[in-house]
Amino acid sequence: MASQNPIAPSPAAGIYGGSVFANVVQAPEDPILGVTVAYNKDPSPVKVNLGVGAYRTEEGKPLVLNVVRRAEQLLVNDPSRVKEYLPITGLADFNKLSAKLIFGADSPAIQENRVATVQCLSGTGSLRVGGEFLARHYHERTIYIPQPTWGNHPKVFTLAGLSVKTYRYYDPTTRGLNFEGLLADLSAAPPGAIVLLHACAHNPTGVDPTLDQWEQIRLLMRSKGLLPFFDSAYQGFASGNLDADAQSVRMFVADGGECLTAQSYAKNMGLYGERVGALSIVCKSADVATRVESQLKLVIRPMYSNPPIHGASIVATILKDRELYHEWTIELKAMADRIINMRQQLFDALRARGTPGDWSHIIKQIGMFTFTGLNTEQVTFMTKEYHIYMTSDGRISMAGLSSKTVPHLVDAIHAAVTRMK
Ligand code: PGU
C-alpha cells in the first residue's frame, strides 16, 4: 500500500537533495523589466524609475486615458456582452480597425482584401506569432535586426525558430543613424532575408531614418526581395500624430509588395497590462491572404488557443466611434507633447548646469527614450548614489521623468560625467 501513497517522495527526490528541481540555476532578472524589480525594492524617497518604457504623469503616476475609462464604462453597461471565447484570430472588428489604423483607411491592400490580421498578445505576442509563421512557411529563415534594438527581439525570434543576425543602425560618435552601414549590411544580406524595422521611435536609440532615407531603404529592400517585418510599438507616440508615425509602413505597402506588421496598444492607448496588439501580413492577393490566415490559426491554437476579449473590446470601441477616436488623438498628443517637453527641460537644465558634453541628442531623438551615451559604470553609479533606475545601456525613459525629478537627474548625470569619464 505504501507505494500508492500519493504524497510519498518521488524516486528522484533523494538524489537532488530533496527537490527534483534542485539543479535548476537562478536566472538573471530581465535587463528591462528587472530594473523595475530593483526599483521596487529600494526604500529611498528620492528614487526615480526611468527604466521601463511606461508613461507617467507629471505627478509620476501611471495614466489610464479618460477615453479608455469611457469605453470601459460603455462595455460594462452593455448587458448583451458575454464572456464567450473569441475566435482563434480574435475580435473581427478589432482586426479590421487595427489594419486601418496602421495602413490608412484608404489603403488599397485593405480594399483588395490582401491583409491577414490576427489579434495577438500585445506587441511581443504579435512578433512571436509572426516569427513562428515565418519559420514554418517562409523560405529564408534569417532575420536581420538593428544593432542595437529592443532587448527582447533576438530572444523572440530565436525561440520562434529564426536565425538572428544584425545590421548596423546607430553611430555612437554622431549619436545618429549609421545610414551607410545600414545600407551596406542590407545589401550584403542574402536575397529574401527578413528585416526587422522599427516603424517609428526606434528603441533604444530614439533615432529614426528621415522619409528620404526610408525611401532609399525601401528601394534597396525591394530590389533584393528582402521581407520587411515592422515593429510598430509607438504609433502616435513619436510625433503625436498617428498618420505621421505610420508613414514608413505605408510607403512599403503603397508599392504593392508584401510585409508583416506587429502593432501594440500598450503605449499609445496605455493598455500595457491588457496585452492587446495585432499582427498583419500584407499579401500579394486576397487568395494568398486567406491561406496565410488559415496557417496563422494553426500557430496560435496550440500556443494560447485564442486571445483575451477585454482589451481588444476597449480598442474596437474607441476606434469605431468618431468622437471617442477624436478624444483619443487629443490624449495621445498630450502624452507625446509632455515627453517632448521633458526633453527640452532636461537639455536646458544640463546646459544651465554646465555639464560637460554635447547634449543636443536629447532634443533631437524621437519617442519615449533618450539614448544618453552614459556608460554602464556611470549608470551603476547613478543608481547606487542617486537612486536613479535605468537600463545599463544608458537608455532613459523620458516618459518616466517630470519637472520635479529633472533637477535630481541632472545632479546625478553631472556627478557621473565629471567623476567617471
Ligand atoms: N517592440 C518594441 C520596440 C518595444 O519597445 C516593446 C516594449 C515591445 C515591442 C513590446 O511591447 P508590448 O508590451 O508587448 O506591446 N518595450 C518597453 C516595455 C518593456 C518591455 O521590455 O517589454 C521597453 O521598455 O523597452
Side-chain angles (χ1 to χ4, degrees), residues 130-132 134-135 140-143 157-164 194:
E132 302 245 354
L134 291 170
E140 173 55 63
R141 303 242 153 68
T142 309
I143 184 162
F157 293 123
T158 304
L159 284 171
L162 298 173
S163 146
V164 174
I194 310 153

Side-chain angles (χ1 to χ4, degrees), residues 305-345:
S305 192
N306 49 73
I309 196 165
H310 188 65
S313 304
I314 297 171
V315 173
T317 303
I318 294 170
L319 294 186
K320 73 177 163 211
D321 181 279
R322 271 181 82 110
E323 196 222 318
L324 292 178
Y325 184 93
H326 180 66
E327 183 175 345
W328 175 44
T329 60
I330 291 170
E331 288 190 85
L332 179 57
K333 174 96 172 50
M335 289 194 284
D337 283 350
R338 197 186 85 72
I339 294 173
I340 292 167
N341 186 266
M342 289 328 301
R343 290 186 180 282
Q344 193 65 48
Q345 284 193 32

Side-chain angles (χ1 to χ4, degrees), residues 32 52-53 122-124 150 203 231 233-234 264 266-267 275 369 395:
I32 299 175
V52 65
S122 214
T124 309
W150 178 47
N203 176 10
D231 182 352
Y234 299 94
S264 166
K267 330 276 169 162
R275 311 308 294 145
F369 305 107
R395 183 191 90 166

Side-chain angles (χ1 to χ4, degrees), residues 35-36 39 47-52 56 387 389-390 397 400-401:
V35 174
T36 302
Y39 168 84
K47 66 180 178 176
V48 188
N49 188 2
L50 306 177
V52 65
R56 297 283 177 267
H387 307 273
Y389 288 80
M390 53 196 278
S397 170
L401 199 60

Side-chain angles (χ1 to χ4, degrees), residues 1 6 16 244 258 282 346:
M1 287 308 278
Y16 297 103
E258 298 178 301
V282 177
L346 179 59

